[in-house]
Amino acid sequence: MSIASVAHSHVFGIKSDIPENLFYVDDNTVLYPAGRNIIVWNMEQKTQRFIPTSEKGEAISAVTVSSDRHIFAMAERAERGTINLYDVHSFRKRRTLQAAEGFVAKEFTQLAFSSDSKYILAQLGPPEWLLHYFAWEKGKLVATFCTSPVESQRVRQISINPSDGTEMCVVGEAGLKMYRYGEGGLRGLEIRGLPNRDYLSHAWIATDRLAAGTSVGSVVILQSLQVTQELLPTPESLITSARFIIPLARGFAVGGAGGQVILYERHNEMGMADRFKAVKRFAFPDENAEVRCMAASASEGILLAEVMENQVFKISLLAAEFVKQGEDPKFEPLTPPYHHGQITGMDLCIRKPLFVTCSSDRSIRVWNYFALTCDLVKYFPEEPHSVALHPSGLYILVGFSDKLRLMNVLIDDLRLFREFGIRGCRECRFSPGGHLFAAVHGNMIQIYSTWTFDNIGNLKGHNGKVRSLHWTADDKFLVSAGSDGAVYTWNVKDLKRENEHILKSCAYSAAVCGSGGKVVWAVGSDKMLKEITDSTVTCEVESDVVLTQITLSHSGRMMFAGTSQGTIRSIKFPLSGNPDDFQEHQAHAAPVTRLRVSYDDQYLFSAAEDGTLYMFRISDKEDRAIKKDKPLTFADEILITKSDLEEKTLLMSELQRNLEELKLEHEYQLRLKDMTFNEKLKEITERYSQEIEALKISTSVLRTEKDKEEVKHEEEMGNLVGKHQGELHDIESKYNQELMEEYERFQAQQTKTQSMQELWQKEMKEFEIATRKALAETQAEAENRLNQKTAEIQRVGTSERWIAQFYGHRLTHSDNPSTQNLLQFKQEIHTQLRDFDEMSHQNAEDIDTEISLCAARYERKLRGEREEGARLKGENGIMRKKFNTLNKDIEDNKAEIARMREDEKKLRAVIAGLEKEIGTLKKEMSERDELIQDKERRVYDLKKKNQELEKFKFVLDYRIKELKEKVEPRENTILDMTRHIHEISQTLEAHSKSKAAFEEQIADLEARLDRTKEDLQKEHTKAHQGNVYIRGFKVDLEHCVQFIQEPAALKKSAENLFRKYISKRGIAAASQASNELRSAGIDPEVRREYLLQHDVLRDRVAELRVVVEKNSAAYRTDSVKSMTENQALIA
């Protein structure tokens, strides 16, 4: 007992209910949602990586990627709206954000990153339509704002200004609105001049510019909260609505309904800069295509566009620039055309790596799961409800609302082959052997032969719709499950029920059985997986969700189930009864409708109501692929009709004929070119001879001028060398003298600087000593004065205290004049003390001021001395720089002298080269003289050859005349044969008409025969019903005989028998009389005569064709022979 390991391999589909669902990660990788996974698809390597939703997430509601393509965000529908942020390269979850509490909405419908990827804007869905502004790195909700007060007015798109992270734009059914974050909240902004339109999309196309698309196809340009331009749709434009706008480096692209994408770029118009104009139109293969989303690569070399039919197209913007003017570049398909409706049927074949699907989008698609491509797509006027693929992969069964159709799978089409009168067939399956197929007709299952199309039998027993059919591997048993709660195992050979299980409280959706047909596993609406053995439930496994589909591997060792939530479960098999023995994998965003395993047990396929197809790779516990004893080899043959094959054969023969004609034409053109080249050669030879003569004359003139120039050059070189040597000597002596003078001046300045520096240091030392001495004297004098004043103050204070203690009371209460004198004396003492304090304070301030003045004076003097020293140092540096400059000039002069010497050497080398070239030219002139002589001899030979060709031409003309005389009788013969063939064709046409009449008669007779067979079948049915009727009457009569002793009861029972049988019998007899059949036969003499005439005409036509082919071959042989002889004569 083990659980099979299942891993995501590939997905065919894209989640179409998200408006913005396609993003570039790098130039070779795109990101998009499919089902309940985020798909990262490498377009170059054709590989996919899957990032599933969280366990609590119900579905993906929005996706976005940051501008630097390092982070992507995925919004999930849950009890409380959730946003998960992932690293694009490592797929590691970085942060989880949740909506504000206390709201009913369960999902975010739109997401947008800021340009620095630090903030994310999220739009909560209905009924609140609350805009969230997150600082996601901190996990903080910064602000919220209600963007649509009316629940029914949905928000279509949101964004953040790339140059201002606090400015936001929201587009919805309520219009276009701008918001700004500030002071802890969001506030609305007023837009001036905004036209009243139904806005569908928008994009920031510059730092402060916004382009908004409308439902009428126009684009409104806003700048600084003001409308600056409105781009109306042109007559050439087919776009009727601007559903999506994507910014580009030089402008923006607009896509919508109309099968086009329009590229707008900046240009200057009438003195107004940065206006936008439509410059290119990119067309889709389908003129009715409508764009849902677009994405541009980082280098903007590739533009991707997703249409409403769930197909992605691409176009190279660089290659589009080189398209001829007047031609619209075309989008090319990047992905197969995915389903854009609920998938209602799916089946696999054995002999080929193919599986087929049908959908509510009225299409049938044939997929190749090895090449990961869609090989065939065909749309129908009505919706196909079910589909089955023959094990050979060459035929399919399709159930429509009116009939069941058997079709041939051709190389590029599905061709109708047979129709069956089964209405609304919701389930059909071929047997593994392929010789039988079963189709559901209401609550009845009909078994047909694949090769004879005979109805082998009808299986009746279900009271409701049959939802599932499953054949055993040996084609002996068929398992059916229905919404009436019944699961039946049918013996196909005996057309009898072997086992049955009925549970009316459960509507079964799928059932499978083992190889022997004894054990059946079924799932239904009761959330239970049941194992039924011999009509008895032997094991039940409870599930937390409804299991909608179940399948068993062909080896009988693995079991898989699909749920109503879109997940795929790998169940432990055989069943253990434990509800937790399974592994669950996130896949679809809607209930699973079909589940199949490939014949080699390598792959598991699932389809769901969301229109996606998931392919899983099956492996064992150690993640190794399941290996079969004998490897399966796939067939590569295809079907093609006889008419198509004949058409292609005729086309090939016609192309071969055209090739032969082109070869002859090419050879003729080559001969013409040879003649033209010979004439040109003659002209060139004459012109060349004239040019040689002119060159001889010019060469002699140039030789004379060259000699003169050599003499003149030697004289100029001698004068230049003498002059140069004199100037060099003068410059050397001049600069040597200046260098000595500057050096002596530098030495004098250096000596003066040293002496001044020594004097300054000596003066500074003396100044410091004098300053210290004066400061010490002043300080000592001030301290003496301060000590004296302090002692006097202490003395006076002591006397005052003594007087106050001794005479205090007496002085206070005495009126004696001496006492008054003492008081007056006391006041004077206080006055003197105050004056003394004031004088001491002033003396201290005067001393401090004098000290500060002295310090400032000496500081100024010191600063002056330092400045003088710095000035002297600067002058010293200048002199040193001048000295270095002079040394550099001397070196430059020496280098110039060396360079001039090198130039002299080069000039001498040039002179030697020119002399050598003169010798070469002389040699070349002699060689050209010899060549001219050879050409003249060649011209003479060509003239002689031309004369010979003239003779051959005369001979060929005579030969051509003879051939024409021979060809004319043959052409006359061909005309006679053609007339004869025409007569035969008329005869054949008359016979064909008679044949058509016979065929119509035969068809009529066959139809009458079919009606006779149908009537015979009806008579058999009536006879069977009569027998049943008689048996029922006998039973009721026996029941009536029981009352033979009770007349009243016997009478009542007889009356019941009369009412039950006699009146119905009369109605049946009338019906039988009104439906009498007629039959007719075919005259054998007429048929024999028709076959005889047909054989004679066929033999005659064959003989005529052989004669015509022989004559044509002889004519072609003679023509080729004549042409070959002509070519030989011309050569």
Side-chain angles (χ1 to χ4, degrees), residues 237-457:
S237 172
L238 300 177
I239 289 185
T240 57
S241 63
R243 294 187 62 90
F244 198 87
I245 301 176
I246 183 169
L248 300 172
R250 293 185 291 181
F252 59 93
V254 180
Q260 282 186 349
V261 171
I262 300 180
L263 180 64
Y264 292 89
E265 291 185 356
R266 296 185 184 89
H267 76 293
N268 297 329
E269 186 180 57
M270 295 172 14
M272 303 180 69
D274 287 346
R275 306 287 286 181
F276 290 92
K277 182 180 179 181
V279 296
K280 280 188 178 63
R281 291 174 178 83
F282 306 138
F284 289 95
D286 183 8
E287 296 180 355
N288 299 321
E290 185 174 358
V291 176
R292 176 189 291 123
C293 180
M294 291 189 291
S297 61
S299 60
E300 296 189 357
I302 302 294
L303 178 66
L304 302 183
E306 180 197 352
V307 297
M308 289 297 179
E309 287 75 18
N310 283 5
Q311 186 173 11
V312 180
F313 293 85
K314 73 171 182 177
I315 191 170
S316 174
L317 297 178
L318 300 178
E321 296 180 357
F322 300 100
V323 175
K324 294 181 180 179
Q325 191 171 5
E327 296 182 3
D328 291 339
K330 298 287 185 181
F331 275 96
E332 298 177 355
L334 177 65
T335 65
Y338 300 134
H339 282 294
H340 51 279
Q342 175 182 348
I343 298 176
T344 56
M346 180 178 69
D347 199 11
L348 280 79
C349 70
I350 299 174
R351 294 286 293 134
K352 294 183 179 182
L354 302 177
F355 67 99
V356 63
T357 56
C358 64
S359 170
S360 59
D361 59 9
R362 298 184 176 180
S363 71
I364 293 178
R365 302 168 197 253
V366 180
W367 308 83
N368 188 316
Y369 59 85
F370 271 14
L372 303 177
T373 57
C374 182
D375 291 349
L376 181 60
V377 179
K378 184 162 185 178
Y379 286 89
F380 294 90
E382 54 183 330
E383 177 186 345
H385 300 300
S386 61
V387 66
L389 186 59
H390 193 267
S392 65
L394 301 177
Y395 316 101
I396 63 169
L397 272 173
V398 185
F400 292 96
S401 58
D402 57 346
K403 290 182 180 180
L404 177 69
R405 292 178 172 88
L406 178 66
M407 299 183 178
N408 291 329
V409 182
L410 305 182
I411 186 172
D412 56 356
D413 192 16
L414 298 176
R415 192 73 57 85
L416 178 63
F417 183 71
R418 183 83 176 191
E419 291 183 343
F420 303 92
I422 300 177
R423 294 179 176 271
C425 179
R426 299 280 177 173
E427 186 69 25
C428 56
R429 291 291 295 272
F430 278 102
S431 64
H435 63 290
L436 299 174
F437 66 85
V440 174
H441 191 184
N443 55 6
M444 179 176 62
I445 303 170
Q446 294 183 322
I447 309 296
Y448 285 87
S449 172
T450 307
W451 312 124
T452 63
F453 312 117
D454 293 335
N455 184 4
I456 296 175

Side-chain angles (χ1 to χ4, degrees), residues 869-883:
R871 186 181 62 78
L872 293 174
K873 285 183 179 180
E875 291 179 356
N876 187 16
I878 293 169
M879 296 301 295
R880 187 172 298 156
K881 188 179 294 183
K882 287 182 178 179
F883 178 72

Side-chain angles (χ1 to χ4, degrees), residues 12 28 197 349 428 564 589 702 921 1113:
F12 300 93
N28 294 322
R197 302 277 192 276
C349 70
C428 56
S564 59
L702 289 173
L921 289 173

